[in-house]
Amino acid sequence: EEDPVAKRIKDRDLEFSNNYSKRIEEEIRDTVSEGWQNGSTTREIRDQIKEKAEDFSDNQAEVIARDQLQRVNGEARNSFAQQHSDKFIEEWLTAGDDRVRPAHQEMKGKWKRPSEKFEVEYEGRGTAKESFPGDSKYGIQCRCDTVLRRIEEVDNSDHAAV
C-alpha cells in the first residue's frame, strides 16, 4: 500500500505540472494570437514564446509558432470557404520539396468542400481526417497548405474527402 503522504506529494506535483502546462499553453495561445493580430513573423513569435517559456530551444519555439500559425491560417481559410461554399473548394498544396512526407505528396492537388475533411492515408498508421493539412496526430510539423479554388476549376476525380 502506498504511503498516504507520498501519494499527496505525487498528486501535488502532478497538480503543479498540470497548472504549469495550462499556464504555458495559455501564454503560447495569447502570444500567437497577439502575433497574428500584429502581423508578426514566425520568428518574431518564436522569440516572444521563448521569452515566456525559457525552457524552449529556438527550434522548439519556432515549431510551436509555425504549427499554431498554420492552424490559424487553415481555420481562417476554412471558415471563409464555408461562408462561400457554393463557390469555393480547398485544394491541397505541398511545400514542393523532398521533405514532404509520402502521405502528403499523395494529397497534392486533391480537394475537398469546406464542410468536409481531407482523408489522408498514412502508410502503416491508418487514415486520418484533416480539416486542413497537418490537422491530425500524424501531421505534426506539416508545411503543406491549401488554396481556395472555384468549384468549376477542379476535376471531380481529385476529390479526396469525407
Side-chain angles (χ1 to χ4, degrees):
E1 187 174 315
E2 186 173 13
D3 181 320
V5 173
K7 182 171 177 13
R8 278 192 295 244
I9 291 170
K10 285 181 184 177
D11 289 346
R12 186 176 304 116
D13 288 345
L14 182 59
E15 183 178 317
F16 167 78
S17 173
N18 287 338
N19 290 339
Y20 178 77
S21 296
K22 287 177 185 176
R23 183 178 62 79
I24 292 297
E25 182 180 327
E26 288 173 14
E27 287 182 7
I28 289 171
R29 191 176 295 122
D30 290 347
T31 301
V32 173
S33 177
E34 289 169 17
W36 170 266
Q37 291 175 21
N38 296 333
S40 300
T41 66
T42 300
R43 290 200 168 131
E44 289 169 336
I45 294 171
R46 173 201 66 196
D47 293 343
Q48 293 165 4
I49 289 172
K50 280 197 57 141
E51 286 175 17
K52 294 186 178 190
E54 295 172 357
D55 295 339
F56 290 128
S57 69
D58 281 351
N59 186 56
Q60 290 169 321
E62 189 166 342
V63 165
I64 291 167
R66 185 175 55 235
D67 175 73
Q68 292 304 304
L69 286 173
Q70 180 167 349
R71 289 182 179 277
V72 168
N73 279 321
E75 290 164 359
R77 189 172 21 265
N78 188 265
S79 177
F80 175 85
Q82 284 183 8
Q83 293 171 15
H84 304 282
S85 61
D86 58 328
K87 298 177 186 161
F88 294 102
I89 57 87
E90 293 177 88
E91 182 181 334
W92 189 297
L93 302 175
T94 70
D97 59 26
D98 62 351
R99 292 176 39 214
V100 175
R101 64 193 86 196
H104 290 189
Q105 190 61 43
E106 290 292 319
M107 294 302 295
K108 182 179 179 181
K110 303 294 184 186
W111 63 271
K112 72 173 188 73
R113 292 175 185 86
S115 61
E116 299 174 320
K117 292 187 178 216
F118 285 109
E119 193 168 42
V120 186
E121 180 64 38
Y122 289 92
E123 188 176 326
R125 294 182 170 174
T127 302
K129 293 173 177 55
E130 300 184 2
S131 296
F132 49 86
D135 181 33
S136 76
K137 64 183 179 183
Y138 306 127
I140 295 169
Q141 295 188 29
C142 174
R143 298 170 300 123
C144 298
D145 209 346
T146 61
V147 64
L148 297 180
R149 296 257 188 252
R150 294 201 169 272
I151 290 175
E152 60 270 10
E153 295 176 1
V154 297
D155 183 339
N156 283 338
S157 67
D158 290 330
H159 183 244
V162 290

